[in-house]
Amino acid sequence: MRILVTNDDGINSLGLHALVRELEGEAETFVVAPEHERSATGHAITLHKPLRAVPTILPESDVKAWATNGTPADCVALGVLGLLPGRPDIVISGINVGPNLGRDLTYSGTVSGAMEGTIFRIPSLAVSVGAFRDTIFEVAAGFAMRLVRQVVERGLPEDTLLNVNVPNLPKDQIKGVKITRQGEKRYISTLDKRTDPRGRPYYWLTGAPAPQQDAEGTDSWALALGYISVTPIRLNMTDPDALEALAGWSLEIG
Ligand code: MN
């Protein structure tokens, strides 16, 4: 089994290293990851400048790894189309520092890494832990390996990836695994206007989670209750209900 690992936190992320440590004994593992953090880059790809991939060594690991100047989606394309000795069986993006829930998926470089794998028709997983500090990666890494075995055995629908969020808890405090749907977690965006030392204004885009609507069965609901959340995410974004409703509109060219 050949696995391609990427992330959006960059090649030096401890989450990436923990995942690789778990996988490399079980599968032929390769890493293609951004040279620095590219969180919240969504599915951006690089078309107007050269992509560079520099061979690198990960701490306490023998895997072949490259650091690139590209985005997570670029990294997957680089790996599949050029750097790996053959097509990977699985793409895993992560382990991300911080959860990817609800609306996060729209911005997430982590999830986009897995989406790019799915576009190449390779079964793909995005894996995140639910905290930004004092992160525990071992549980998420172990669960990712278990999930890989299941995916290899059972396969995934061609247009679907798995988005995994793991509570930042020791293993014995995690309640179990829930299969969930993408939730409604969203943010209230704010613009912080400041003044630079030369008197010119600059802006800092920020936001805090909106009051939580953790509806039962959603990704954020499961994570908040201490369960690992596994959400099947489809790339096709058509709204089937609206498709039907729109058919009843009076739309002519005019
Ligand atoms: Mn990230």
Side-chain angles (χ1 to χ4, degrees):
M1 179 171 36
R2 186 179 295 136
I3 299 181
L4 169 57
V5 177
T6 192
N7 76 347
D8 76 356
D9 293 335
I11 193 85
N12 294 317
S13 166
L14 300 179
L16 177 87
H17 300 170
L19 178 61
V20 168
R21 271 199 301 277
E22 182 75 29
L23 299 176
E24 70 177 321
E26 308 267 345
E28 192 191 358
T29 305
F30 298 88
V31 176
V32 184
E35 64 198 355
H36 59 83
E37 185 177 351
R38 304 298 296 264
S39 291
T41 47
H43 207 118
I45 54 170
T46 304
L47 297 178
H48 301 290
K49 64 175 188 181
L51 281 169
R52 309 280 180 185
V54 180
T56 187
I57 293 165
L58 299 187
E60 298 167 52
S61 169
D62 298 320
V63 300
K64 278 195 120 175
W66 291 266
T68 89
N69 62 339
T71 62
D74 286 328
C75 288
V76 172
L78 278 165
V80 172
L81 298 175
L83 299 174
L84 270 58
R87 194 175 160 82
D89 300 296
I90 302 259
V91 171
I92 309 183
S93 185
I95 298 168
N96 189 60
V97 175
N100 276 301
L101 306 162
R103 291 288 164 85
D104 297 339
L105 273 63
T106 306
Y107 302 97
S108 172
T110 304
V111 174
S112 287
M115 280 184 179
E116 190 66 11
T118 307
I119 288 168
F120 279 107
R121 300 193 171 177
I122 299 165
S124 300
L125 316 175
V127 184
S128 308
V129 290
F132 292 94
R133 281 175 204 190
D134 303 319
T135 36
I136 301 167
F137 296 115
E138 287 64 32
V139 187
F143 183 73
M145 190 62 233
R146 292 180 73 89
L147 202 49
V148 162
R149 289 197 198 97
Q150 290 278 298
V151 167
V152 166
E153 200 182 310
R154 297 167 191 265
L156 277 179
E158 213 168 66
D159 202 39
T160 300
L161 63 94
L162 298 181
N163 181 41
V164 181
N165 284 276
V166 178
N168 193 49
L169 295 169
K171 198 173 187 176
D172 58 359
Q173 289 176 37
I174 293 180
K175 291 205 183 114
V177 181
K178 295 275 189 199
I179 307 302
T180 59
R181 63 181 192 276
Q182 183 182 1
E184 303 297 325
K185 180 196 165 192
R186 63 189 80 207
Y187 294 85
I188 297 167
S189 298
T190 50
L191 191 63
D192 199 347
K193 185 181 177 185
R194 301 179 186 182
T195 306
D196 76 12
R198 291 181 182 156
R200 295 171 307 190
Y202 69 98
Y203 303 90
W204 207 290
L205 199 54
T206 180
Q212 281 296 108
Q213 311 95 355
D214 292 333
E216 189 173 337
T218 60
D219 47 14
S220 47
W221 167 82
L223 195 69
L225 290 178
Y227 290 90
I228 296 175
S229 164
V230 179
T231 313
I233 297 292
R234 191 184 258 178
L235 265 59
N236 189 318
M237 294 187 276
T238 310
D239 177 342
D241 301 331
L243 192 68
E244 219 165 279
L246 281 162
W249 287 21
S250 308
L251 296 174
E252 289 98 33
I253 295 169

